[in-house]
Amino acid sequence: MKVCITEKPSVARDIAAILGAKSRHDGFYEGNGYCVTWTFGHLCCLKEPGDYTPAWRRWDMMTLPMIPPKFGIKLITDRGIEAQFKVIESLISKADEVINCGDAGQEGELIQRWVMQKANVGCPVKRLWISSLTDESIRSGFRELRPSEDFDNLYYAGLSRAIGDWVLGLNATRLYTIKYGNRGESVLSVGRVQTPTLALIVERHRAITEFKPEDFWELKTVYRDVTFNATSGRYKSEQEANEALAVVNGKSFVITDVSEKRGKESPQRLFDLTSLQVECNKRWGWTADESLSLIQSLYEKKVTTYPRVDTTYLTDDIYVKVPDILRRMTPYANVTAPLLAGKLPKSKKVFDNSKVTDHHAIIPTGESPSVLTGNERLMYHLIAMRFIAAFYPDCVFSTTTVLGKAGDMEFKATGKVIIEPGWRALSTEAKEDNKTADGEQAILPAFAKGESGPHKPGLVKKTTQPPKPYTEGTLLRAMETAGKTVDDEELREAMKENGIGRPSTRAAIIETLFKRKYIRRERKNIAVTAAGIALIDTIKSPLLKSAKLTGLWENRLRRIERGTYSAAEFIDQLKEMVTDIVRNVLNDNSGQRIQVENVEKKSSGKSTSRDGAAARNPRITKLEQIVCPLCGEGHILKGRTAYGCSRYAQGCTLKLPFAEYPDTLTPAALNRQLGKKKK
C-alpha cells in the first residue's frame, strides 16, 4: 500500500480522484493500492521551553539563555489534530511506501517531515513536486516522483529557520519583557524578522517627523508654448534666484541644440509573490495578507501556479507549454490571437533557468477562470494580462531633447513620444505610467537649431518634501531589499537573497506587528505606535534590529537550501549571538522600563514563540533596585531556588538560597536582611 500525505483535505480529494482512491473513510481516501490522507498545515511544532525542563516554565532572568542540547518536536494540542495524526500514524504503520504530497516549498517540506518523523516512518519515502494543482500537473508529478533525499537540504533550511526563530524569539522576548516590561503585565515581543521590520518603520517615522522643510526656487522659461527648465538646478535663496532671473530678462531665447533618440522598453516582469502583493496594494489597497489569501485561493482553484515564489522568471521547459496555455485562455482570445499567429519570442528576461530554484514565476495554468468570484477575478486578470504582455513586442518610443540659451543661462526641454506601443497597448497601468513627468512634454513642436525669439522667464517656488510613510506595498519592497530603496528590477532581483524574511512569511510578519499594536493603519499608510517606538529605542543591540544582518541570515538559509552552507553552523552562530545579547542586556543598569498599552497580555501556562507565558512576579521590578552585596555592580534576581546576581554570566557567584532568604520576603525585607549581614 502507498500512503500519500497532502497538506489540505481539498488537495487530498483532487489527488485521490486522479489515483483512483475513490472510497472515503474517516480522515483518508482509499483505492487502487493507495491511501490518501492529509494534514491541516502544521500538526507538529518545536517543543516549548517548559517541555525541556520545569525551570523554563517561569519567565526568569536566571534561566536565560534557554538553549536545549537537542531540539525536539511535539504534536500540537488540539483534538482535531490529534485525531487526524492517529489516522496518519496508523496508515504509515502499514505502508510499503509513503509519498510526501505537501506544498512544494520550504514550509511544506518542514510540515510533512515533522509529521513523518513523529509517526516513525520506516518505509521508503518519495516526493511529489509540482508547480500547479491541475490534473495534468498532478499526473505528470506522479509519473516523475523523486527520492525524498533530494529535498533534505530544503528541510534543513526550514528546520534551521524554525530553530533560529525559537532561539532568538523566545530568549529575546523573555529577556526584554523581564528587564524592561511594564511590571510583567505585557509581552515585549522580539523576533528575528519582525524586529528589523519594525526598526525600518520607526526609522521612516523619524525621518518624517524630524524632517525640516526648506524652500527652493527653480528658474523656468516658456518659449513657443513649451516650458524649458534651467540646467543650473535649484536655488536655495530667493535672492540668488532673482539674480539668475535678471540674467535672462530682456534677452532673446536661442535654440542651441535639437537631438532625437529612439529607445525600447521591455514588457514588465512576470509576478513573484512580493511584486503581486505590491501591485495589488497600489491598485486596490489590499493588505499583503489579503493578497496572499487570494493568490492561494487561485492556486487551489487550479487557475494559477504555485504562489509562494521569489522569482520573476520561467524555466526553459515552460516555453513549449506557453502556446497551449494562451490558446486555452479563451476569455483573452482577442489579445492572444496575434501571439498565436506566429512564433512566440523567447526572451532571456522571461526564460532563465539560472534564476529559478524550486518554482517559476506566477502564471495562469490555462484552466477556466469561471470558478472565480469578486476580487479573485481582479487578481486573475492582473496575472493573465501580465503573462500575455510578456510575449508582446517592446514598446518603441522617441525622446527629443531641446537645449536653449538666454544670455549665459542654459535651458532644457524634453518630450517623449510612443511610436510603437507594443506591450503597452494591453496595459491600463502602463498608460498611467506614461503620463509626463515634471518638465517633460508629451510631444514637442519642431525646433530648429539657431532659431530665436521672445520668451517668458519666471521663478517657481517649491518646498522640499519629507519621505513618504510606508504603505504595505512599499514596506514589502523594503523588506525584499533589506531597507534599500531600489527601483531597478534587475538589481532588486539580485538582492532578494538578502531580504528580510521570505515572500511567504512577510505578510504574516506585518500582520503580527499590527496584532501586537506596534504599528497601525492610517488609510493606506502604516504608522508606528508609541509602543513600537519605545521597543526599538530600548533594543540597543544592532544585532536584533539590523535589516542588513537579517538579510545576511536569510542569505545563509538560502545557501543551506542549496547545500553550500552548514545548518549546524547557522544555529551555532545564532546561539552565540543570543548568549551575547543576554549578557549585554543583563549588564544594562539603566533601569528604563517601557509603558506598553494595548499589547498582548502574558497568558498562564504555555510559553511559545507566539509569546504566551506564565506571568512573572511583579516584585522583580523592585528587586532590580537592590545592588549585589558581593560584586557591587549587578542587581538581585529571583531564580527557581535562590536569589542571585544579574552579573552571574560575568562570574559573580552570589547565591542566596531560599532556605536562608525565603522567597516570600518582600524586596524591602530582603534588602534589610542583606544590610544586616553586611554589618
Side-chain angles (χ1 to χ4, degrees):
M1 179 183 70
K2 296 181 180 180
V3 174
C4 302
I5 309 173
T6 73
E7 197 167 311
K8 291 185 178 180
S10 60
V11 179
R13 184 183 62 244
D14 292 342
I15 288 178
I18 288 170
L19 296 177
K22 297 178 180 178
S23 179
R24 174 69 192 261
H25 299 272
D26 187 14
F28 67 100
Y29 297 89
E30 184 179 18
N32 201 26
Y34 290 93
C35 283
V36 183
T37 186
W38 57 84
T39 66
F40 309 115
H42 279 282
L43 297 192
C44 299
C45 64
L46 288 173
K47 287 182 177 179
E48 296 167 2
D51 296 324
Y52 294 101
T53 171
W56 287 358
R57 288 178 186 157
R58 298 180 59 187
W59 286 42
D60 194 321
M61 281 284 199
M62 300 291 282
T63 64
L64 300 180
M66 302 177 296
I67 301 177
K70 184 178 180 181
F71 284 87
I73 61 170
K74 68 175 186 176
L75 203 63
I76 294 171
T77 305
D78 177 273
R79 277 191 296 180
I81 284 176
E82 289 165 357
Q84 185 61 20
F85 178 76
K86 285 181 181 177
V87 171
I88 297 171
E89 189 176 37
S90 173
L91 293 173
I92 284 178
S93 69
K94 297 175 278 189
D96 300 310
E97 181 178 280
V98 170
I99 302 173
N100 175 356
C101 303
D103 272 6
Q106 188 186 101
E107 196 70 8
E109 190 69 19
L110 186 66
I111 287 170
Q112 302 295 88
R113 293 281 187 122
W114 276 354
V115 168
M116 291 187 288
Q117 180 182 328
K118 190 70 179 171
N120 294 315
V121 172
C123 59
V125 179
K126 296 288 182 65
R127 184 55 157 113
L128 173 71
W129 192 264
I130 53 179
S131 288
S132 76
L133 292 176
T134 63
D135 291 357
E136 178 51 39
S137 179
I138 293 171
R139 289 192 185 96
S140 175
F142 270 93
R143 288 194 296 267
E144 301 170 3
L145 291 173
R146 297 169 62 181
S148 179
E149 294 77 16
D150 287 359
F151 301 92
D152 282 351
N153 288 332
L154 188 67
Y155 166 65
Y156 297 148
L159 182 62
S160 299
R161 180 184 299 278
I163 291 175
D165 287 340
W166 193 104
V167 170
L168 182 61
L170 285 174
N171 280 288
T173 293
R174 287 192 177 195
L175 176 70
Y176 278 88
T177 299
I178 295 170
K179 180 76 173 178
Y180 304 108
N182 180 26
R183 296 183 176 271
E185 293 296 319
S186 55
V187 170
L188 300 183
S189 178
V190 181
R192 184 181 61 86
V193 179
Q194 66 165 296
T195 302
T197 302
L198 178 60
L200 285 179
I201 301 169
V202 172
E203 182 182 8
R204 177 61 59 90
H205 166 79
R206 290 231 161 89
I208 294 169
T209 56
E210 295 172 6
F211 181 81
K212 294 180 180 178
E214 295 180 355
D215 293 334
F216 65 93
W217 288 260
E218 291 180 346
L219 176 59
K220 299 175 183 286
T221 192
V222 178
Y223 173 70
R224 288 180 55 189
D225 296 325
V226 172
T227 299
F228 286 75
N229 298 294
T231 59
S232 53
R234 298 176 174 182
Y235 296 96
K236 293 184 178 180
S237 72
E238 189 172 10
Q239 179 182 347
E240 187 183 12
N242 280 318
E243 289 172 358
L245 179 62
V247 171
V248 301
N249 269 329
K251 305 288 197 305
S252 292
F253 190 81
V254 181
I255 299 298
T256 58
D257 188 64
V258 179
S259 61
E260 184 177 314
K261 184 178 180 181
R262 286 205 174 195
K264 290 184 178 181
E265 185 181 15
S266 300
Q268 294 161 300
R269 293 190 183 277
L270 297 172
F271 284 118
D272 61 6
L273 178 57
T274 299
S275 61
L276 180 62
Q277 290 170 311
V278 168
E279 191 64 34
C280 290
N281 180 257
K282 184 173 77 174
R283 284 172 173 257
W284 302 300
W286 299 348
T287 68
D289 197 47
E290 287 170 340
S291 295
L292 178 57
S293 296
L294 283 167
I295 188 58
Q296 184 69 25
S297 178
L298 295 188
Y299 170 64
E300 290 173 12
K301 290 183 177 181
K302 307 176 186 289
V303 298
T304 56
T305 56
Y306 185 75
R308 298 167 186 263
V309 298
D310 59 358
T311 183
T312 58
Y313 293 86
L314 301 177
T315 49
D316 289 337
D317 63 304
I318 301 295
Y319 175 73
V320 296
K321 301 176 183 178
V322 171
D324 184 57
I325 296 173
L326 292 171
R327 199 171 292 113
R328 291 191 292 130
M329 294 173 67
T330 51
Y332 298 90
N334 61 322
V335 289
T336 59
L339 297 176
L340 295 170
K343 185 179 179 182
L344 284 177
K346 188 179 181 184
S347 166
K348 199 72 173 171
K349 293 182 178 179
V350 177
F351 298 95
D352 190 339
N353 287 342
S354 67
K355 301 291 179 65
V356 181
T357 51
D358 299 333
H359 296 283
H360 55 68
I362 302 169
I363 62 172
T365 61
E367 296 292 310
S368 171
S370 60
V371 294
L372 306 181
T373 59
N375 288 342
E376 290 177 342
R377 286 181 174 271
L378 285 175
M379 178 177 277
Y380 177 81
H381 180 70
L382 184 66
I383 295 167
M385 292 302 288
R386 181 68 66 94
F387 176 65
I388 295 167
F391 302 101
Y392 262 66
D394 291 348
C395 170
V396 180
F397 60 88
S398 173
T399 300
T400 302
T401 302
V402 182
L403 302 180
K405 200 171 186 181
D408 293 329
M409 188 67 65
E410 295 182 342
F411 292 84
K412 181 172 76 170
T414 59
K416 184 176 179 181
V417 179
I418 290 180
I419 300 170
E420 298 172 14
W423 66 271
R424 277 189 172 271
L426 304 183
S427 173
T428 55
E429 147 208 13
K431 290 170 187 172
E432 288 294 311
D433 291 344
N434 197 36
K435 288 181 178 177
T436 56
D438 182 35
E440 186 179 83
Q441 323 293 316
I443 189 168
L444 296 177
F447 288 101
K449 183 177 178 180
E451 69 171 84
S452 65
H455 62 115
K456 296 178 182 178
L459 297 175
V460 178
K461 181 182 177 181
K462 295 183 179 180
T463 304
T464 55
Q465 298 297 310
K468 293 181 179 179
Y470 281 121
T471 64
E472 287 202 38
T474 56
L475 180 59
L476 284 169
R477 280 295 188 213
M479 293 173 75
E480 183 182 56
T481 56
K484 292 185 171 66
T485 302
V486 180
D487 293 323
D488 183 80
E489 283 187 329
E490 288 192 22
L491 181 56
R492 209 160 52 219
E493 193 79 27
M495 294 179 68
K496 284 181 179 178
E497 290 204 359
N498 298 317
I500 301 175
R502 295 292 288 266
S504 56
T505 61
R506 288 174 189 143
I509 291 298
I510 295 172
E511 286 301 314
T512 296
L513 293 174
F514 281 121
K515 175 186 173 187
R516 291 175 175 161
K517 309 297 183 185
Y518 293 139
I519 59 176
R520 66 177 185 273
R521 290 185 175 92
E522 291 184 352
R523 295 185 178 179
K524 283 189 176 184
N525 294 334
I526 293 174
V528 67
T529 65
I533 295 171
L535 179 60
I536 292 302
D537 286 348
T538 300
I539 298 173
K540 298 180 176 66
S541 169
L543 292 170
L544 281 176
K545 55 187 179 181
S546 165
K548 181 179 178 181
L549 184 66
T550 306
L552 290 176
W553 294 341
E554 289 295 336
N555 179 279
R556 288 168 186 161
L557 287 166
R558 290 171 188 267
R559 288 166 58 197
I560 291 171
E561 277 190 27
R562 295 195 292 264
T564 59
Y565 195 77
S566 161
E569 188 174 354
F570 175 80
I571 298 301
D572 286 344
Q573 288 176 341
L574 271 171
K575 289 177 180 177
E576 184 179 341
M577 185 188 77
V578 168
T579 302
D580 287 342
I581 289 170
V582 170
R583 184 183 302 116
N584 292 334
V585 171
L586 288 175
N587 286 335
D588 178 15
N589 293 316
S590 66
Q592 178 186 359
R593 289 195 166 273
I594 304 176
Q595 182 74 25
V596 182
E597 298 178 359
N598 300 324
V599 296
E600 293 177 270
K601 300 296 181 182
K602 290 167 67 178
S603 60
S604 62
K606 294 180 181 179
S607 173
T608 71
S609 59
R610 291 185 294 275
D611 303 318
R616 178 175 65 90
N617 187 336
R619 290 181 299 173
I620 289 180
T621 301
K622 293 184 179 178
L623 286 175
E624 289 176 354
Q625 297 174 5
I626 304 176
V627 176
C628 172
L630 183 61
C631 70
E633 296 183 21
H635 57 261
I636 299 299
L637 297 174
K638 186 176 183 180
R640 189 165 59 91
T641 60
Y643 296 101
C645 176
S646 63
R647 290 183 59 81
Y648 71 92
Q650 286 72 48
C652 183
T653 58
L654 178 75
K655 187 174 182 180
L656 308 173
F658 289 158
E660 187 177 349
Y661 299 88
D663 63 346
T664 55
L665 287 174
T666 65
L670 176 62
N671 202 20
R672 281 196 299 273
Q673 274 199 229
L674 291 175
K676 289 177 183 177
K677 185 144 189 170
K678 283 183 184 177
K679 295 176 183 177

